[in-house]
Structures are given as C-alpha cells and as structure tokens.
Amino acid sequence: MRRIRSFAVAAAAFAAVFSAVPAATAASAASAASGSLAAYNCSPGYFCIYSGWNGSGTRCQWSQASLANTADNCSFIQRGQNVRSVWNKTGHRIQYYTQTNYHARVGSTQAGTGGNLQGSYQIRSFKPQ
C-alpha cells in the first residue's frame, strides 16, 4: 500500500510541475510580444525599416509611397547592414525588393502591421502593391 501511495504522490507532483510550465511560457511569450510592439517607433503615414530585431537598432523611414533606392538616404543600408524588421504605418500594403528599381521582390507588409524579417537581405526599393 505504501508503494502505491508514494507513486500517486510522485505522479501528482510531476503533473503539477509540468502543467505549470505551459502557463508560464504563455505568460512570458505574451509579455515579450507586447514589449516588442512598443519597440517599433514608426510615425503615422510612414514605412519604417530597422537594422535590429523587433524595431530596434537604426531606423529609416519614408512617407513617400515608393522609393527606387533606399540607400540614397538610409545610413545602415549604405553601410551594408541587413533589414531585420519593418513596420508599415501607411494606408496600403508595401512590397519590397532586394534590388533597386523594384527588382527581385522579396516580400510585402500589410498596412498597419509589421514584424521581424528573415534578416538576411537588404530592402533596396519599395512600392505599394
């Protein structure tokens, strides 16, 4: 009888420990997500790109609908750094390209959204979709 009781107590303790892990993970994930949204500092009406994850690092922003060469006025693109995150506060979806003059489309971001990218390329031009 003692063996069964010990097993039951151990099983209950095991279940209590492992059932608490997902809740803690979910809470920390929610906290991280809300904290990372606060990092995106992008003015209304602008398309913003960042050299760091979650809107960190150097920011370049543009209010025009399209730009044939982002290196003309973005310091971290001029230094050869990749774009790791974007935010689109325009009223339209933005398509972006790894080459100037709208060549080699790599992705797009809907109006009012953004986030981390793959981080292995530069955005060299963009325009509305």
Side-chain angles (χ1 to χ4, degrees):
M1 185 70 148
R2 179 177 269 215
R3 212 183 276 165
I4 293 172
R5 187 172 172 186
S6 296
F7 178 74
V9 170
F14 182 80
V17 167
F18 285 102
S19 66
V21 171
T25 304
S28 63
S31 171
S34 65
S36 61
L37 287 179
Y40 288 94
N41 181 15
C42 188
S43 303
Y46 284 78
F47 174 62
C48 300
I49 63 175
Y50 305 86
S51 63
W53 305 112
N54 300 315
S56 65
T58 303
R59 177 190 69 190
C60 295
Q61 66 175 4
W62 298 275
S63 61
Q64 64 262 43
S66 61
L67 186 65
N69 187 358
T70 59
D72 286 344
N73 56 9
C74 182
S75 62
F76 78 87
I77 295 291
Q78 292 170 359
R79 290 191 305 268
Q81 290 180 276
N82 292 333
V83 177
R84 292 203 167 87
S85 54
V86 300
W87 200 266
N88 180 3
K89 280 203 173 174
T90 70
H92 52 273
R93 178 184 286 270
I94 297 282
Q95 295 184 113
Y96 32 91
Y97 304 82
T98 60
Q99 296 178 13
T100 59
N101 299 311
Y102 321 108
H103 295 288
R105 182 177 181 263
V106 70
S108 67
T109 300
Q110 292 180 357
T113 65
N116 289 330
L117 301 176
Q118 185 178 8
S120 62
Y121 56 85
Q122 292 184 334
I123 294 176
R124 294 301 305 268
S125 57
F126 65 87
K127 67 180 181 177
Q129 184 171 10

